[in-house]
Amino acid sequence: MPHAQKMVRAYEEGVGNFRLWKQGYNRKLTISAAPQIAASVLPSLIKQFVERYPHIEVTVNITNSFQVGKDISDRRSDIGLTRMLPGQADVSYELIHKEKAVLVAPFSAGARTEQELLSSYRLLTNNHPVYWEDLLLQIKACYPHIQLLPVTQVEITKRFIEEGLGVSYLPFSMVKKEVENQTLSVISQQKIIRPSSHTYIVTKGETEETKQFKHFVAETLTETS
């Protein structure tokens, strides 16, 4: 049985490589990405990467931040992008980007202050895997009567804000387009110290493709930050 399984794996790998060759690819890269990243910076990154490296076939798996490290550890993906530190001991990670979260409100809210917004709108929480626990302690200390509405998906959070259902703290890269299109607005801080959002790149061993992608991502995010 082990010999038969090895033969099947070799056959499947050979068929896969032949398929790539027919499509004009000679290398491949599988990326696991957290939804927050997939909904913000990832489309632009992938577009620029495949333009620079047209012979690399790129596959993207969207999974939650907790799963990214496991995907790399189990070799289901070659490289991962996540907002939180991986818990697996057999993977490597590197901080490649850091940004502040901002208080985001409906554009129709106008020039209201942080205090006015947090006193009159629900706070949409749980849309980031790391900073909400500490942030809520700070907010409740300053605004003890705040009403909370947990919404775990970033895209849904943004739509709720646009509809006037609440406000939230989100990394600026996630709302940059909506701010430019004037559907959301960023409110200046008063009492609340804005949390930081980190982006980590996760690998297990290195190939030429993962080295190229790591270098490209670090270079691109530095240029756009």
Side-chain angles (χ1 to χ4, degrees), residues 27-224:
R27 292 182 290 165
K28 60 182 178 180
L29 180 70
T30 303
I31 303 166
S32 279
Q36 302 94 339
I37 298 170
S40 53
V41 299
L42 188 62
S44 176
L45 286 176
I46 296 299
K47 180 176 184 294
Q48 295 177 65
F49 183 77
V50 298
E51 286 174 352
R52 183 180 297 187
Y53 300 102
H55 298 300
I56 298 178
E57 182 192 42
V58 176
T59 302
V60 179
N61 297 324
I62 308 302
T63 186
N64 63 58
S65 291
F66 300 94
Q67 183 67 30
V68 171
K70 191 172 190 308
D71 280 0
I72 306 305
S73 178
D74 295 342
R75 298 194 182 279
R76 286 194 289 268
S77 295
D78 303 305
I79 202 161
L81 292 168
T82 178
R83 296 286 191 186
M84 65 183 300
L85 289 172
Q88 290 70 27
D90 60 342
V91 302
S92 301
Y93 64 87
E94 182 180 338
L95 175 64
I96 57 168
H97 187 59
K98 181 178 179 180
E99 63 178 318
K100 290 291 186 180
V102 293
L103 177 57
V104 182
F107 188 76
S108 59
R112 296 198 198 183
T113 64
E114 171 191 279
Q115 181 175 354
E116 290 171 336
L117 288 170
L118 293 178
S119 300
S120 57
Y121 281 89
R122 290 181 176 85
L123 181 64
L124 309 180
T125 65
N126 294 23
N127 43 46
H128 191 281
V130 176
Y131 59 61
W132 272 108
E133 184 176 352
D134 291 338
L135 179 59
L136 279 176
L137 291 175
Q138 184 187 172
I139 292 173
K140 288 179 178 179
C142 296
Y143 306 104
H145 301 297
I146 186 78
Q147 291 184 303
L148 307 181
L149 177 58
V151 181
T152 58
Q153 293 294 320
V154 172
E155 289 303 306
I156 303 302
T157 298
K158 292 193 292 185
R159 299 293 80 80
F160 275 26
I161 297 172
E162 289 177 348
E163 292 296 326
L165 290 173
V167 298
S168 191
Y169 285 86
L170 296 170
F172 181 71
S173 63
M174 294 183 185
V175 297
K176 183 174 183 289
K177 184 178 295 184
E178 287 82 2
V179 171
E180 291 173 349
N181 293 336
Q182 297 187 341
T183 59
L184 298 176
S185 59
V186 172
I187 307 303
S188 299
Q189 69 185 82
Q190 288 178 293
K191 298 179 181 179
I192 305 302
I193 299 172
R194 296 182 297 158
S196 294
S197 177
H198 298 169
T199 300
Y200 299 94
I201 199 159
V202 187
T203 56
K204 183 176 182 178
E206 281 198 329
T207 64
E208 187 62 28
E209 292 77 30
T210 59
K211 288 179 183 177
Q212 289 173 333
F213 189 75
K214 281 177 65 175
H215 177 75
F216 172 81
V217 170
E219 172 189 286
T220 305
L221 289 182
T222 299
E223 291 175 352
T224 57

